[in-house]
């Protein structure tokens, strides 16, 4: 399985891609303010690369529950210097975590490879920007907006509804001239989901895997883990690793994580187990 991200074809057939989170923000839910200065963000990005991140996800806007949108110029003021420096260094695969077509366009012009859009083309100009650059695109499911998404979200069948939504967005990408090889899907863990919905989406990841494109999962430090273990955000590493490993076993090809080194080690075992099952029981894989 290949993921086309401009001039890079990322092979996801056996190795899981770990996407390291670089929040260049004052207010992200788990690490807000730690990497808000460009030098701190760059040092963090390089550290995540050294720990095994295959892609770096740079964001200048928190999407935590209750957050408000950040204007385009401010997003770019935060992430622009980091994108530009990493792109000049040349080796890292760079993703930009933005719902804004204007910010995505500037990042792609500076050398980014992927647009991680948590609104799945909520900005009507986004599809043309991605198509024009031939960029990788993450289509994520969210119910509502970050400001209101955790106010009593309801689903009849969360796995089926999320898969149907993403399949519908996938059709729009095709109409906009985005090749299917550019697209990855994400169930949007914690985005307009109660803990039980996040668990259902992970347990039934096969409904998304069946759509035939790489599935990205972001469980790192999220609140469903905190709720199950009754632990604050800085004590959710083991829970995050367990959930990431299960996601990979069930077919996720990209894991978005804050703790990259530990995540790489956990997913290596999960993908070896997935491979073993495929070899011994091909029908289940
Ligand atoms: N989760 C967050 C942000 N972006 N993108 C994708 N595709 N999938 C996710 O699960 C996802 C995401 C939330 O994590 P974080 O970036 O650490 O927090 P914040 O939004 O507060 O900056």
């Amino acid at each position: 399985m290949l993921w086309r991200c401009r001039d890079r074809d990322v092979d996801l057939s056996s190795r899981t891609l770990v996407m390291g989170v670089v929040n260049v923000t004052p207010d992200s839910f788990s690490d807000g303010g730690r990497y808000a200065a460009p030098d701190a963000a760059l040092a963090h990005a390089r550290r995540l690369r050294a720990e095994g991140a295959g892609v770096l996800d740079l964001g200048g806007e928190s999407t935590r529950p209750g957050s408000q949108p950040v204007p385009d110029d401010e997003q770019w003021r935060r992430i622009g210097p980091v994108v530009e420096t990493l792109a000049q260094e040349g080796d890292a695969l760079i993703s930009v975590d933005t719902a804004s077509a204007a910010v995505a366009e500037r990042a792609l012009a500076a050398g980014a490879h992927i647009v991680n859009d948590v609104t799945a083309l909520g900005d009507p100009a986004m599809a043309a920007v991605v198509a024009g650059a031939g960029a990788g695109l993450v289509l994520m499911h969210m119910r509502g907006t970050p400001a209101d998404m955790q106010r009593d979200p309801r689903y009849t069948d969360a796995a089926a509804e999320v898969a149907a939504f993403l399949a519908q967005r996938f059709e729009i990408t095709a109409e906009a001239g985005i090749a299917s090889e550019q697209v990855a899907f994400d169930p949007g863990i914690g985005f307009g989901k109660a803990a039980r919905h996040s668990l259902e989406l992970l347990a039934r990841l096969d409904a998304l895997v069946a759509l035939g494109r790489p599935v990205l999962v972001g469980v790192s430090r999220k609140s469903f883990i905190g709720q199950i273990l009754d632990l604050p955000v800085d004590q959710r590493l083991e829970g995050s690793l367990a959930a990431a490993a299960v996601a990979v076993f069930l077919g996720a090809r990209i894991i978005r994580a804050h703790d990259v080194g530990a995540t790489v080690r956990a997913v290596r075992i999960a993908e070896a187990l997935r491979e073993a099952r495929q070899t011994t029981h091909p029908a289940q894989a």
Side-chain angles (χ1 to χ4, degrees):
M1 177 175 283
L2 288 180
W3 189 21
R4 186 174 306 155
C5 306
R6 309 193 80 178
D7 58 340
R8 314 258 185 117
D9 275 342
V10 185
D11 184 1
L12 299 170
S13 46
S14 54
R15 276 284 168 109
T16 310
L17 192 66
V18 174
M19 173 182 263
V21 180
V22 183
N23 285 323
V24 198
T25 56
D27 56 350
S28 286
F29 81 95
S30 76
D31 56 4
R34 287 188 65 186
Y35 314 111
D39 283 354
L42 267 174
H44 186 57
R46 293 185 184 122
R47 192 162 48 239
L48 297 185
R49 281 280 291 155
E51 288 180 17
V55 53
L56 297 169
D57 191 35
L58 308 180
E61 174 182 64
S62 171
T63 47
R64 72 189 187 288
S67 61
Q68 297 294 328
V70 174
D72 293 348
D73 284 345
E74 176 60 15
Q75 283 191 49
W76 185 249
R77 192 191 64 75
R78 295 175 182 178
I79 64 169
V82 188
V83 174
E84 283 163 0
T85 305
L86 290 173
Q88 275 157 21
E89 289 175 359
D91 56 333
L93 193 64
I94 302 167
S95 161
V96 57
D97 186 353
T98 187
S100 158
V103 175
E105 192 165 27
R106 292 174 85 165
L108 293 168
H113 306 89
I114 295 161
V115 177
N116 173 20
D117 182 359
V118 299
T119 66
L121 308 178
D123 183 334
M126 185 66 98
V129 168
V130 172
L137 173 65
V138 179
L139 292 174
M140 197 197 81
H141 175 273
M142 169 162 41
R143 173 75 52 91
T145 65
D148 64 14
M149 66 189 180
Q150 291 307 94
R151 279 186 216 142
D152 193 24
R154 290 177 193 208
Y155 298 84
T156 309
D157 179 340
E161 286 165 49
V162 167
F165 169 84
L166 292 173
Q168 182 264 338
R169 305 313 278 175
F170 194 34
E171 282 175 22
I172 296 176
T173 63
E175 286 158 17
I178 297 170
S180 59
E181 291 77 16
Q182 289 168 244
V183 177
F185 295 127
D186 182 342
I189 299 301
F191 285 85
K193 281 111 192 164
R196 66 181 184 285
H197 302 132
S198 290
L199 289 170
E200 181 187 336
L201 287 165
L202 284 173
R204 294 187 49 208
L205 207 61
D206 55 313
L208 272 197
V209 173
L211 296 178
R213 293 303 306 149
V215 171
L216 183 156
V217 168
V219 286
S220 189
R221 304 178 182 171
K222 291 222 168 133
S223 68
F224 79 96
I225 294 169
Q227 285 178 38
I228 293 171
L229 298 177
D230 193 19
L231 285 174
V233 77
D234 60 347
Q235 292 175 45
R236 295 178 187 168
L237 175 62
E238 298 87 348
S240 303
L241 298 178
V246 170
V248 169
F249 187 69
L250 294 178
R253 300 285 160 163
I254 309 156
I255 297 292
R256 186 179 183 278
H258 302 86
D259 303 288
V260 166
T263 303
V264 168
R265 293 188 286 276
V267 305
R268 284 289 97 86
I269 301 303
E271 71 198 11
L273 285 163
R274 185 180 69 203
E275 189 102 336
R277 185 177 63 158
Q278 205 161 10
T279 315
T280 49
H281 294 284
Q284 288 178 22

